[in-house]
Amino acid sequence: MVSLWVLWLLTALVTTGAAEEAAAAAANGSSRPSVVNVGALFTYNSVIGRAAMLGIQQAVKDVNANPAVLSGTTLNVIPQDTNCSGFLGTIEALQLMEKNVVTVVGPQSSVIAHVISHVVNELHVPLLAFGATDPGLSPLEYPYFIRTTHSDYFQMNAVADLVEFYGWREVTAIYVDDDYGRGGVIALGDALATKRSKVSYKAGFPPKSDLNAIKDLLMRVNLMESRVYVVHANPDSGLNIFSLAKDLGMMGTGYVWITTDWLASSLDSFITADPNTMSLIQGTIALRHHTPDSASKKRFISRWNDMIRQGEASSGLNSYGLYAYDSIWLVAHAVDQFLNEGQTINFSSDPRLHDAKGSRLRLSSLQIFDAGESLLHKLLQTNFTGLSGRMQFDSDRNLIRPSYDILNVGGTGSRLIGYWTNYSGLSVVAPEILYQKPPNTSPQNQKLRRVIWPGDTAAIPRGWVFPNNGKPLRIGVPNRASFKQFVTESSNSDNLGGFCIDVFNAAIKLLPYPVPCSFKLIGDGSKNPNYDEIMNMIARNVRAPSCHKLPQFVSPIILLLSLLPFVIPLFLSLSLQELDAAVGDFAIVRNRTKIADFTQPYTESGLVIVTRVRESSTNALAFLKPFSVEMWCVTGAFFILVGTVVWILEHRMNPEFRGKPRQQIATMFWFSFSTMFFSHRENTVSTLGRLVLIVWLFVVLIINSSYTASLTSILTVQQLSSGITGLDSLISSTEPIGYQEGKFARNYMIEELNIHESRLVPLNSPEQYATALELGPEGGGVAAIVDEVPFVEIFLPTYCQFRIIGQEFTKNGWGFAFQRDSPLAVDLSTAILTLSESGELQRIHDKWLTRTGCSSSNSDIGANQLSLKSFQGLFLLCGAVCVLALTIFFIKICHQYTRYSSTEVGESKDIEIMRETNARLGRLKSFKGLIQFVDTKEEDIDKAIQRKLSDKQQQSSRTSLDGCSASHM
């Protein structure tokens, strides 16, 4: 390595003369100089610097050996060691600018890049940074800054996608506290915010900090809830974090370690894997810049390995070595195009830079590159394929197609588990293939291979634990004045009972980790506390001020004595505001979900209306109420219709349906209406008539049963009447309404139902409910009470004179409240579902909330009438059968009529017998004759047809006999 540094120093001495020669050529007006100077800034003795040094050296060698690029011009690179120092890096950059360089490749550090960018902006020298990944290095602020690697903006989006993929919500960022680290963590926070996640704790350590400082930092980190650590450090010092983390037991089961590309760069720089180092990072996920496989890359890797074997390289090849190599080629292509267009390389003095008296800084030697802006555009427009992939810039001066390999460290190496691109997110398919397909970042398309996590486990870590800082979970519990079945007070606040408390304790026992809890009763027990204020206590989480904030010049004793009457209530109130969670009958409503996170509901709830009921007399027309007007009309019409159809079908063959017209009409109506009571005396003899009657009797059976049930309901249930019959009448009335004090019903009625606050009366206990309802509005009570279903179900069995009116008009449930983004809310939701599926939740419910006494069923005052819609299917069936029967009947009549008309009427011998029949059938060809034909008995019609056929046969026989006699004569 020392020999390589000596070689670079000798090259620098030679290039100094070349630089002077190039400057002289430019001064003489030569259009194409023989030498073009390019600066290189990086830290020689670093993980990135060792790879970059050899990459730049090989790139210069390849460029100068290629006649197709810079023909006749030698590319001369002047290196400068920044020594990983912002101050020394600035000095080295200023010294480099004295040598009339047209571009500067580097630096590798974002900290130094921030400082040097100001220098190159003033001197118009493009800066190509192959290692400065801080997203804060913006081309808007530094127009001559060009990043030839990918910004950490994309890398942090890859980390955010990993966090979302495994279902974590919070991460802890461990980073070096400089421009590089802070810029990366800011980008990480922004990326996580888009995934509904966040950085819960930022653990920054100073650059070049000692091991004790890092150890103290890790100990604080280990006390936090999050177990997902994102490490954004430097390759040269980042491994110290894992060495200390392993000593602290932070590399075991349950921990998640995600590193940015620095770890992969460190591992790639090892010529042979170090078992001791690999043992420190088992199970870690590391990102690495993705460089596509190509023939040129494979040849370069082979050449690099040859140099290692020959002792010419002391470092393995990492991605920054490839980016440094491609940066030199980018300069070569741009300068070649710049010179081919006939532009010249000229430098001029800046009148603002002059040497002060006695100063040895030689500021006057710094010159402005006159064609710097033109060369900058050439660099941004250059487009070629290098060893690291496509070297092309987008409109924001970022390299196109940012992508990363995702590695899982295990054993003696690392395993590729997938890729990330800003094109399709996480995938197991190489980015080169994905870019040939349409973009797809849907959650269903995100895939990674199996990961072996720290502790040698394949189970995905939960990502958080209850913080091991000795503080129990502070849980607020409402100290209710009544309905003790839900929260039961005891002498010890940590030994509470009741339905809500038992459900919470049962769910806590199902968690795979201990959760110490400390219950705090909120309220004095004489009246219900304000539940919304308890929610605000969780959201605020105010802590008492420290005593050291008191003024130094005031005696603490005197101040305490003077403020004692005010301090004690203040500290008591502040202590109540220190809540991590709330357990009790807390309804999950919209305004509360904005300030707290709730678990899965453990019981259903909703608002209902309870009012006083009393018997009321029915009127004379109560028997008409079961059916609507339309139902009565259609039913009556069908009685007449069915009677008419049966008469038509039975008239020709049933004597009971024949007679005088007046008698037949009376028979038809009597028959139809008597079917209502199944008391019809007339028999049906025709098949079609019986079919219609069977269907109609079925319809009548259903109608009778429904009428009877509805009338019974009206004469019994509707004896319970009230002035308020439902939600609409509650809103439209002006009578007072009771509600349970402290609960959300009050705000709901004011904000959602627009009920004036003056109508609302707070109540605290079931006894107050009963008294207020008995008094009524006239006696200073209330007309109704609006409360949640669980409370009403306890109240009604004891007070049977009250009923629920109408339906439940809100649908919500009760849940346990936690601070926003608390992982406990998710884990307890899973535990509650487990309790529900196992039946334990129902057993707890039955233990505390079993109802006794009178029935508290929901009596719906004012039952709905039976409408036509409920029976339209039956009526349609009956009508269809009637139509079908009439159709078959008339087809049969037409057939008989055709047969009768086709028989010729001959001379009848028995004129006296046929006189009556012939008189009625004499004019069948007229409509009146047709009616008479239909009205004639079917038996007579059949006899007439038979006689005509017989007469016709006899006539034919006589005709044949007469013909035979004539032939004999």
Side-chain angles (χ1 to χ4, degrees):
M1 190 64 191
V2 175
S3 61
L4 190 59
W5 287 354
V6 173
L7 177 64
W8 274 82
L9 291 175
L10 292 175
T11 303
L13 293 175
V14 173
T15 55
T16 301
E20 295 175 355
E21 179 183 350
N28 295 331
S30 176
S31 60
R32 193 174 186 96
S34 58
V35 177
V36 174
N37 292 328
V38 175
L41 287 170
F42 53 89
T43 301
Y44 294 171
N45 188 21
S46 65
V47 171
I48 296 177
R50 286 188 287 270
M53 180 184 295
L54 195 56
I56 292 174
Q57 183 184 19
Q58 296 302 312
V60 172
K61 180 179 179 181
D62 293 345
V63 168
N64 291 330
N66 192 335
V69 181
L70 291 175
S71 178
T73 300
T74 301
L75 186 66
N76 177 45
V77 175
I78 304 174
Q80 293 283 10
D81 188 359
T82 60
N83 293 295
C84 198
S85 169
F87 175 73
L88 294 179
T90 304
I91 300 301
E92 296 291 340
L94 293 174
Q95 292 177 356
L96 194 61
M97 295 302 169
E98 294 179 348
K99 300 172 183 178
N100 294 333
V101 295
V102 296
T103 59
V104 176
V105 176
Q108 70 188 56
S109 169
S110 298
V111 177
I112 301 175
H114 274 280
V115 180
I116 297 177
S117 294
H118 293 285
V119 178
V120 299
N121 283 350
E122 293 295 331
L123 302 181
H124 297 179
V125 177
L127 179 66
L128 279 67
F130 61 85
T133 57
D134 175 21
L137 289 165
S138 169
L140 297 176
E141 183 179 3
Y142 308 114
Y144 282 86
F145 174 82
I146 302 176
R147 198 193 318 268
T148 56
T149 185
H150 294 297
S151 168
D152 281 338
Y153 167 81
F154 301 105
Q155 184 169 208
M156 295 308 175
N157 276 272
V159 174
D161 282 352
L162 278 171
V163 172
E164 182 187 37
F165 179 78
Y166 290 110
W168 302 315
R169 295 289 300 276
E170 297 182 1
V171 303
T172 296
I174 303 174
Y175 63 100
V176 55
D177 196 4
D178 57 12
D179 291 334
Y180 159 74
R182 287 190 296 270
V185 171
I186 292 173
L188 175 62
D190 294 341
L192 288 173
T194 63
K195 309 295 184 182
R196 299 178 62 86
S197 302
K198 68 176 183 178
V199 178
S200 60
Y201 184 69
K202 297 179 181 179
F205 57 91
K208 301 181 181 179
S209 59
D210 58 15
L211 297 181
N212 290 329
I214 298 178
K215 183 177 181 179
D216 293 340
L217 178 71
L218 292 178
M219 291 176 65
R220 293 196 302 271
V221 165
N222 201 30
L223 295 176
M224 303 300 167
E225 292 183 357
S226 175
R227 284 293 183 264
V228 181
Y229 303 138
V230 178
V231 184
H232 189 50
N234 295 316
D236 300 283
S237 59
L239 288 173
N240 293 331
I241 297 174
F242 287 96
S243 176
L244 296 171
K246 187 171 183 179
D247 293 340
L248 295 173
M250 299 175 64
M251 296 300 298
T253 304
Y255 289 87
V256 177
W257 292 86
I258 302 175
T259 69
T260 51
D261 63 280
W262 67 267
L263 179 59
S265 299
S266 297
L267 298 179
D268 291 340
S269 66
F270 294 157
I271 296 178
T272 58
D274 182 8
N276 294 328
T277 300
M278 298 305 298
S279 66
L280 301 176
I281 54 177
Q282 293 294 302
T284 303
I285 294 180
L287 272 66
R288 179 177 63 192
H289 290 101
H290 175 74
T291 54
D293 291 332
S294 62
S296 59
K297 178 183 173 182
K298 293 178 180 178
R299 289 193 299 269
F300 186 77
I301 293 175
S302 177
R303 196 166 87 188
W304 191 289
N305 293 333
D306 291 340
M307 288 187 291
I308 292 176
R309 287 191 292 269
Q310 296 169 9
E312 298 177 2
S314 60
S315 171
L317 176 62
N318 55 42
S319 60
Y320 289 102
L322 299 176
Y323 284 120
Y325 180 93
D326 288 344
S327 297
I328 296 298
W329 271 98
L330 177 65
V331 173
H333 284 296
V335 172
D336 183 54
Q337 186 178 2
F338 174 84
L339 296 177
N340 289 339
E341 292 180 358
Q343 300 191 54
T344 59
I345 299 175
N346 295 318
F347 295 87
S348 60
S349 300
D350 189 346
R352 297 174 298 175
L353 299 176
H354 57 84
D355 296 329
K357 293 182 179 181
S359 174
R360 298 183 180 181
L361 293 178
R362 296 176 56 190
L363 296 178
S364 59
S365 62
L366 301 178
Q367 294 183 318
I368 298 175
F369 180 25
D370 296 335
E373 185 174 358
S374 177
L375 181 59
L376 175 67
H377 291 309
K378 299 299 179 187
L379 289 167
L380 294 174
Q381 294 172 0
T382 301
N383 181 3
F384 71 98
T385 301
L387 299 181
S388 61
R390 196 72 179 168
M391 295 295 291
Q392 181 182 355
F393 299 96
D394 59 18
S395 58
D396 295 327
R397 296 191 183 182
N398 293 315
L399 286 177
I400 63 172
R401 298 183 176 180
S403 56
Y404 292 87
D405 298 335
I406 302 176
L407 309 176
N408 181 212
V409 180
T412 59
S414 58
R415 180 172 56 92
L416 183 67
I417 61 172
Y419 306 91
W420 179 91
T421 65
N422 67 333
Y423 188 74
S424 294
L426 301 174
S427 177
V428 294
V429 181
E432 300 80 52
I433 300 176
L434 291 176
Y435 280 114
Q436 299 175 5
K437 302 177 181 179
N440 187 354
T441 57
S442 62
Q444 297 78 13
N445 195 52
Q446 307 301 293
K447 297 179 181 179
L448 288 176
R449 297 184 181 94
R450 188 171 64 96
V451 176
I452 302 299
W453 303 98
D456 196 24
T457 176
I460 299 175
R462 185 174 59 250
W464 80 281
V465 295
F466 192 78
N468 187 21
N469 54 12
K471 291 183 61 179
L473 196 68
R474 299 162 299 183
I475 302 175
V477 178
N479 190 6
R480 297 187 49 83
S482 59
F483 295 106
K484 296 294 186 177
Q485 295 90 336
F486 299 101
V487 176
T488 301
E489 183 182 0
S490 66
S491 57
N492 183 4
S493 61
D494 289 334
N495 190 23
L496 300 178
F499 171 67
C500 302
I501 302 298
D502 282 5
V503 172
F504 178 77
N505 290 333
I508 285 291
K509 292 179 181 178
L510 294 178
L511 298 181
Y513 47 88
V515 180
C517 301
S518 175
F519 293 109
K520 294 180 177 293
L521 287 173
I522 309 298
D524 56 8
S526 60
K527 63 178 182 179
N528 294 339
N530 190 311
Y531 281 57
D532 289 335
E533 182 58 31
I534 297 178
M535 292 293 103
N536 292 330
M537 293 178 187
I538 297 175
R540 290 194 299 264
N541 199 9
V542 179
R543 298 185 182 272
S546 301
C547 294
H548 71 269
K549 294 184 178 180
L550 295 175
Q552 297 290 333
F553 57 85
V554 180
S555 172
I557 298 177
I558 297 175
L559 182 62
L560 180 61
L561 292 176
S562 62
L563 298 179
L564 191 59
F566 306 99
V567 170
I568 293 178
L570 175 63
F571 274 77
L572 288 176
S573 63
L574 288 176
S575 65
L576 291 179
Q577 295 174 0
E578 297 181 4
L579 296 181
D580 299 311
V583 173
D585 48 318
F586 290 93
I588 305 174
V589 293
R590 176 170 50 88
N591 63 323
R592 295 176 183 174
T593 58
K594 296 179 180 179
I595 60 176
D597 281 353
F598 282 86
T599 63
Q600 170 82 13
Y602 59 87
T603 188
E604 295 182 355
S605 180
L607 293 179
V608 292
I609 303 171
V610 177
T611 187
R612 179 182 55 176
V613 293
R614 54 192 172 191
E615 294 187 1
S616 61
S617 59
T618 57
N619 55 35
L621 299 179
F623 67 92
L624 295 177
K625 292 183 179 180
F627 288 162
S628 62
V629 176
E630 295 82 2
M631 182 64 183
W632 280 117
C633 294
V634 172
T635 302
F638 261 81
F639 271 109
I640 298 175
L641 173 64
V642 171
T644 304
V645 170
V646 173
W647 178 83
I648 293 173
L649 298 176
E650 295 289 325
H651 176 68
R652 302 187 68 221
M653 62 181 62
N654 192 342
E656 296 183 3
F657 288 87
R658 300 185 65 83
K660 297 180 180 180
R662 181 181 302 176
Q663 182 182 354
Q664 294 183 43
I665 293 175
T667 301
M668 180 176 61
F669 279 97
W670 165 254
F671 176 83
S672 61
F673 286 103
S674 63
T675 56
M676 177 185 296
F677 310 102
F678 305 97
S679 59
H680 51 283
R681 296 193 304 264
E682 294 78 10
N683 295 322
T684 53
V685 297
S686 66
T687 303
L688 295 177
R690 290 174 177 176
L691 174 64
V692 172
L693 185 59
I694 289 174
V695 175
W696 175 242
L697 290 178
F698 174 74
V699 174
V700 169
L701 176 64
I702 301 299
I703 293 176
N704 280 343
S705 302
S706 302
Y707 177 85
T708 303
S710 181
L711 183 60
T712 303
S713 175
I714 291 174
L715 296 179
T716 56
V717 176
Q718 281 199 340
Q719 288 178 355
L720 305 175
S721 62
S722 173
I724 294 178
T725 59
L727 181 60
D728 294 336
S729 60
L730 178 75
I731 297 173
S732 60
S733 70
T734 59
E735 296 177 337
I737 305 170
Y739 68 92
Q740 186 175 172
E741 188 173 7
K743 302 292 286 183
F744 81 98
R746 177 182 183 275
N747 292 338
Y748 181 85
M749 287 188 285
I750 294 175
E751 298 172 3
E752 303 296 334
L753 304 182
N754 296 320
I755 296 176
H756 198 273
E757 185 177 0
S758 61
R759 294 179 54 194
L760 304 180
V761 179
L763 303 171
N764 268 310
S765 65
E767 294 76 16
Q768 292 183 11
Y769 283 15
T771 302
L773 288 173
E774 286 291 348
L775 292 175
E778 301 82 3
V782 297
I785 290 176
V786 175
D787 203 355
E788 297 174 73
V789 171
F791 299 107
V792 174
E793 289 180 344
I794 295 177
F795 169 72
L796 290 183
T798 306
Y799 300 92
C800 304
Q801 65 271 34
F802 308 112
R803 290 289 184 272
I804 295 176
I805 303 300
Q807 301 295 325
E808 183 178 343
F809 54 90
T810 63
K811 292 291 185 180
N812 50 44
W814 289 355
F816 305 129
F818 292 87
Q819 294 180 7
R820 293 300 300 269
D821 301 324
S822 173
L824 267 176
V826 178
D827 286 359
L828 275 180
S829 294
T830 304
I832 290 172
L833 291 175
T834 304
L835 289 175
S836 177
E837 293 172 358
S838 65
E840 181 63 23
L841 189 60
Q842 185 62 41
R843 284 190 288 271
I844 298 175
H845 178 277
D846 296 340
K847 172 185 175 182
W848 290 99
L849 306 180
T850 301
R851 294 177 293 175
T852 58
C854 59
S855 174
S856 60
S857 60
N858 186 357
S859 301
D860 188 4
I861 304 301
N864 293 330
Q865 290 180 321
L866 296 175
S867 63
L868 178 62
K869 185 177 181 181
S870 303
F871 300 93
Q872 61 183 3
L874 290 174
F875 286 127
L876 288 175
L877 175 63
C878 183
V881 172
C882 291
V883 171
L884 177 64
L886 289 176
T887 302
I888 297 174
F889 174 77
F890 284 115
I891 291 175
K892 180 179 178 182
I893 291 295
C894 293
H895 177 68
Q896 287 181 342
Y897 182 68
T898 302
R899 288 180 59 197
Y900 186 84
S901 300
S902 62
T903 56
E904 296 180 1
V905 182
E907 293 183 1
S908 179
K909 295 182 179 180
D910 195 359
I911 297 176
E912 294 180 357
I913 298 175
M914 295 295 299
R915 182 180 301 165
E916 182 179 356
T917 303
N918 290 339
R920 299 177 60 186
L921 303 177
R923 298 181 179 180
L924 291 178
K925 295 183 180 180
S926 65
F927 179 76
K928 184 177 179 180
L930 179 60
I931 296 299
Q932 291 178 350
F933 178 81
V934 174
D935 187 59
T936 304
K937 287 185 178 181
E938 188 171 357
E939 181 182 359
D940 296 341
I941 294 297
D942 291 337
K943 290 181 178 180
I945 293 175
Q946 293 297 329
R947 287 184 179 278
K948 287 186 178 183
L949 291 175
S950 176
D951 292 343
K952 188 175 181 180
Q953 292 176 357
Q954 292 177 2
Q955 186 177 5
S956 298
S957 299
R958 287 196 301 269
T959 303
S960 60
L961 290 175
D962 293 340
C964 292
S965 301
S967 62
H968 286 295
M969 292 180 64

